[in-house]
Amino acid sequence: MNHQSVKMKRSLYVPLVLFAGIIVLQFLPFVRADSVQSVPAKPLAGVPEEINAILEKSCFDCHSSQSNLSWYDKIVPLDYFVNGHIAKGRAALDFSKWDSLENPARNNLLYYSLNKILEGEMPLKSYSYIHADNKPTENDIAVLKRYLTERTPRKAFDPELVLDSNENLNSPKAVEKIIVAANANGIEYIPEYKDWKLISFSDRFDNATMRLIYANDIAVKAIEENRVKPWPDGAIFAKAAWKSRSNADGTLSTGEFFQVEFMIKDAQKFKSSLGWGWARWRGKDLKPYGGKAILTTECTNCHKPLKENDYVFTKPFLLKNLN
């Protein structure tokens, strides 16, 4: 036997030994990951059967109590990754909690899910690679978009309605006439936000609002220097929202002022609420919204899925090299 043949045989030993080791591991129960419990999830109440079918196929395995694992999902050590992904997925978003949610929260859940699909973040590429049949098709996505648009229709604009909300929001004199009370958690209203830099905007078709997002100097500097994971203490975002109106020509424009809300970063002061202080004022009279517990719970529950982005939904405009 020549030297080359011996070398080739030896080169086969490593993969053969690894393969044999993996086979042996399958019969050793103590090396298996603790399987996540799977309980059949109920169809989402008030949601058409077609939409339920799409969500169940593409989302429920990791985002509900129901996980249909294939035989290859149970192979050691892949089962550690699979069960870990499911546990994280349920913690971030769980459709099994649908019945406990109010309708606005349900709309937000659907809106968030669709956006993650459109952004290409969900399903995870590692999941889609193995479960290609579960990935939402272009038709599935179109059906979801159409359904959400119909679920939260925009109200037609009434030309006889005098809308002075924009003036009330942007006129210093108008604001000076309003005595704005502090939020229930002690956070004071910040009228200067209107002079901050605009860093993004969003059209929330799930609740028919159009939003402008402003950032203070600390947040703007963090964006310029790409220091946003996490955001530095002192960074503040203001999100002003108007009800969107559908015009006769099919275009959209801002209607009645809806609310302004703030996210204030202080990792220690607001440690119990994801490191952010949350505050919201509603209507033209800027009335503080909700009690401390209600406001904080609503905001943190909504933002928890964005842990990897320091709980911030906004993707700011590129602000580098502007000087």
Side-chain angles (χ1 to χ4, degrees):
M1 183 179 294
N2 59 38
H3 178 72
Q4 187 175 2
S5 297
V6 173
K7 190 175 180 180
M8 288 181 62
K9 280 192 172 183
R10 286 179 178 175
S11 67
L12 294 174
Y13 289 160
V14 173
L16 285 174
V17 170
L18 288 175
F19 180 75
I22 291 175
I23 295 298
V24 171
L25 287 176
Q26 310 313 309
F27 298 95
L28 301 177
F30 58 85
V31 300
R32 288 190 171 280
D34 293 331
S35 296
V36 291
Q37 185 179 12
S38 180
V39 179
K42 297 189 299 183
L44 306 185
V47 174
E49 183 177 344
E50 181 182 25
I51 303 302
N52 264 300
I54 295 173
L55 295 175
E56 182 175 359
K57 178 192 72 171
S58 302
C59 306
F60 276 28
D61 275 357
C62 295
H63 296 288
S64 79
S65 62
Q66 173 180 303
S67 297
N68 296 316
L69 300 183
S70 302
W71 64 267
Y72 43 78
D73 293 317
K74 302 174 184 178
I75 296 176
V76 179
L78 292 179
D79 60 339
Y80 281 89
F81 295 99
V82 172
N83 285 279
H85 283 163
I86 293 174
K88 290 180 180 178
R90 289 178 179 177
L93 188 156
D94 190 349
F95 280 101
S96 299
K97 297 179 180 179
W98 180 267
D99 288 347
S100 66
L101 301 176
E102 297 294 332
N103 204 52
R106 292 178 175 181
N107 292 341
N108 183 68
L109 182 63
L110 294 172
Y111 173 84
Y112 173 73
S113 302
L114 177 58
N115 270 279
K116 285 300 176 183
I117 294 173
L118 294 174
E119 291 169 1
E121 295 184 26
M122 288 290 158
L124 293 176
K125 288 182 173 59
S126 57
Y127 175 84
S128 297
Y129 182 77
I130 302 174
H131 305 84
D133 292 341
N134 291 7
K135 185 176 180 179
T137 65
E138 290 298 323
N139 182 66
D140 290 340
I141 295 172
V143 170
L144 288 173
K145 289 174 69 174
R146 183 169 61 249
Y147 169 67
L148 270 179
T149 302
E150 295 170 352
R151 182 181 173 94
T152 54
R154 301 180 190 273
K155 295 181 179 179
F157 172 54
D158 182 356
E160 297 182 1
L161 182 64
V162 178
L163 298 174
D164 60 352
S165 335
N166 295 345
E167 294 180 8
N168 281 355
L169 178 69
N170 294 304
S171 168
K173 291 183 180 180
V175 173
E176 287 172 3
K177 296 177 183 179
I178 303 174
I179 300 176
V180 184
N183 216 257
N185 51 17
I187 295 177
E188 298 285 346
Y189 176 70
I190 309 173
E192 295 82 10
Y193 82 85
K194 296 183 294 295
D195 299 321
W196 295 351
K197 188 178 291 294
L198 180 69
I199 63 165
S200 189
F201 62 88
S202 62
D203 174 21
R204 287 285 299 274
F205 60 82
D206 63 312
N207 58 17
T209 58
M210 303 177 73
R211 300 163 180 240
L212 298 180
I213 299 96
Y214 303 85
N216 69 348
D217 290 342
I218 294 176
V220 168
K221 186 177 180 181
I223 296 169
E224 293 173 341
E225 298 175 355
N226 196 25
R227 295 184 297 109
V228 299
K229 293 183 180 181
W231 292 86
D233 283 356
I236 306 177
F237 303 106
K239 184 180 293 184
W242 292 261
K243 284 293 185 180
S244 56
R245 69 189 191 192
S246 298
N247 301 311
D249 61 358
T251 60
L252 296 174
S253 56
T254 55
E256 184 177 4
F257 175 67
F258 180 55
Q259 67 179 22
V260 60
E261 51 190 358
F262 295 90
M263 286 181 66
I264 304 172
K265 183 63 184 289
D266 190 318
Q268 290 303 314
K269 182 177 181 180
F270 302 117
K271 187 176 181 179
S272 63
S273 56
L274 308 181
W276 293 89
W278 312 86
R280 182 184 299 163
W281 286 264
R282 280 257 171 100
K284 293 186 293 184
D285 55 353
L286 297 174
K287 183 178 179 181
Y289 172 82
K292 181 177 180 180
I294 294 176
L295 174 65
T296 301
T297 300
E298 279 190 12
C299 294
T300 55
N301 284 346
C302 182
H303 285 256
K304 276 181 180 178
L306 277 295
K307 184 177 181 180
E308 293 185 0
N309 291 333
D310 199 12
Y311 306 103
V312 176
F313 276 98
T314 300
K315 291 187 175 180
F317 303 140
L318 184 63
L319 298 180
K320 293 183 179 180
N321 303 319
L322 294 183
N323 296 327

